[in-house]
Amino acid sequence: MTLPKRGMPAGAHRIRQVAAALLGRRSLERDLDDEVRLHLELEAEELVRMRGLAPAEARRQAAIAFGGVERWKEAHRDARGVRWLEELSQDLRYSLRGLIRSPGYFLACTLLLTLGIGGATAMFSAVHAVLLAQLPYRDPDELVRIYQRYTNNQFGVSVVDVQAVIAQQRTMSAVGAVRLGRVALSAGGELERVLSARATAGFLEALDVRPARGRALQPDDDRPDAPPVVIVSDAYARRALGGAAAAVGRSVTIDGKVYGVVGVLPDMPHNPGGVAADVWTPARFPLPERRGPFGIRMVGRLRAGATLADAERDLAGISERIFPQWASSFQDSMARLTPVPLRTTIIGDAGKTLWIFTAAAGLVLLIAVVNVASLTMVRSAGRSREVNLRTVLGATRARLLRLMLTESLVLSLIGAATGIAAGAAGLRVLGAVLQGMPRLAEAHLDLSAIAFAVAAALIAGVVIGAYPVALLLGRTPAGALQHGARSVGAGRGTRALRAVFVIGEFALALPLLAGAGLLLNSFVRLQRVDPGFDPARIATMTVSLPGARYGESDAVAGFWARALPRVREVPGVAFAGLADAVPPDDGNVDVNNFDLADRPVSPGQSQPVAHG
């Protein structure tokens, strides 16, 4: 054993020893053989000189006096402190050779584990991204979304609410609002219809989202006489403006009006506040004539030390103060502006759907592990004679236990490697199946997902190797050799364990089959739902009117009054009409309160609401 060099820490010296023992194993073995041979030769020469023995007899006597050569070699190897690594390397090579010699068993087990671990890994990534991961904002627990809430109704806010909250609130360091819509956008080329966001300066400020290039929207941009400016997304800047660096200072046309690009948002894996807009323009809300409609999204960031309860009381006071001014258009005196944690509003009911899919993926993984354990049990029954023969030849049970577990863990880790690849594909399938799931687009296979797959594989490996281990611990070598391998495979305990596996597989598969049947039944029923009209002969189209020419409601009404008769005169058109949204799809985010002329609601009571 070498002594550590002066100044070298003991830990570093030990690492150096281990590395030398592993990397220079062949050289060390040659040195060990030379040392043993030299010792025997010197001992034989001493016997020839002192006792006058013949050389052959002297070598024999020297070997007897020395004892078992291999015993001394093993003791020397143990002194290196890396024997367990050498044995692990041997077990790994033996396990891989054994799997290659049984290709059917290897492929079947790998396929089962790939499906099970891949599905579970995909669902772990989805659950982590949607439900567990923090929102991608600074101090996300300080963010709230403000709703108009009364009785069982909860929806966006109106222009009246936005102006009152911005002017009167005292519990938020930043607060802003945004109204979504679609506009006709051009950067000098063809027009395209994109999602737009008309936002106050405080919306992106509350989220702490700053432009990567240029400046953010400022409060002065909301003035009617301010020059028209716009912030564009990084994706649109790269697609139409030559990149973020070249976009600032250029002009784009939105609904026929020219806007100057003053900023470009950073390339983010998420949409700010859930708004997937290509262009962000100043809100410039018109002076309200009534308290409604309620279709504006409003967010705020709590001040340091302020709680959700503080913000709730603050906003309730604002609701009470502005109610008398607008009671003629919104008569519910119990309605309150209410803050809700932004995380809660983004996730919504997504957790219920994800947990159902997660439970299904967990059952698939359990079924896969049980099936692989069944195959391993059958394979182990045929190898019991080999294992017991190794025991008779001197292998300890601890050594054989490591060998058994190494074989099952190698198999499960191979399944994990292929399962991780399958999980990446599973995420894409999940995104297609669960379209619209909030934050699902942020799901990806990161280190935590890989760690989950490896952990699942290790647990599966232990379960898969449980039967071979139990077989090893429960039989004596002499008994196994006497009864033979055939009796092991047909033993009462083995048959009972197989029955347990079969029952377990049926028990795990039954919920999956029931769930699949219910989903199929729901799908069939949805296909049979009568929408109240025949969609086979209905065609729709969407028209965006440029704000520069149709800024007034009279101009808009005049356009539709001229356009509708012309559409009805098109050959093949039997009927034509106008609507904000096509049923049953609801594409309008505005919510309006109303009264029935023949059954008005009593003053101070909740009015019915509807989209439109």
Side-chain angles (χ1 to χ4, degrees), residues 301-361:
R301 178 177 290 275
L302 298 176
R303 292 184 184 277
T307 65
L308 191 66
D310 296 334
E312 190 170 351
R313 288 190 293 270
D314 186 21
L315 294 175
I318 296 175
S319 299
E320 294 173 359
R321 289 193 292 272
I322 65 176
F323 173 75
Q325 307 172 36
W326 303 93
S328 60
S329 58
F330 186 77
Q331 64 183 41
D332 191 341
S333 61
M334 301 303 295
R336 293 291 182 270
L337 292 165
T338 305
V340 179
L342 183 63
R343 179 185 182 84
T344 301
T345 66
I346 290 177
I347 295 175
D349 294 332
K352 297 178 180 178
T353 302
L354 277 182
W355 288 125
I356 291 174
F357 276 79
T358 301

Side-chain angles (χ1 to χ4, degrees), residues 549-550 554-567 569 578:
R549 293 180 55 188
Y550 299 95
D554 292 341
V556 175
F559 172 84
W560 294 120
R562 295 189 302 272
L564 188 58
R566 296 187 182 183
V567 173
E569 295 173 358
L578 302 173

Side-chain angles (χ1 to χ4, degrees), residues 34-112:
D34 293 341
E35 184 178 348
V36 170
R37 185 166 53 252
L38 177 62
H39 180 83
L40 291 175
E41 289 176 354
L42 291 176
E43 182 68 18
E45 290 178 0
E46 183 70 16
L47 290 173
V48 170
R49 188 177 69 255
M50 298 296 297
R51 299 174 55 183
L53 298 179
E57 180 63 19
R59 286 193 297 270
R60 190 179 73 84
Q61 291 293 333
I64 293 174
F66 188 80
V69 173
E70 290 301 322
R71 178 170 63 88
W72 290 107
K73 286 186 176 181
E74 290 296 333
H76 188 277
R77 293 176 184 128
D78 289 341
R80 300 176 193 167
V82 294
R83 182 174 179 180
W84 66 275
L85 288 174
E86 295 174 353
E87 291 179 349
L88 177 61
S89 175
Q90 295 170 4
D91 292 345
L92 289 174
R93 292 195 300 270
Y94 177 82
S95 300
L96 291 173
R97 287 197 302 268
L99 292 175
I100 293 173
R101 286 197 301 267
S102 304
Y105 166 80
F106 176 54
L107 291 176
C109 293
T110 301
L111 178 60
L112 288 169

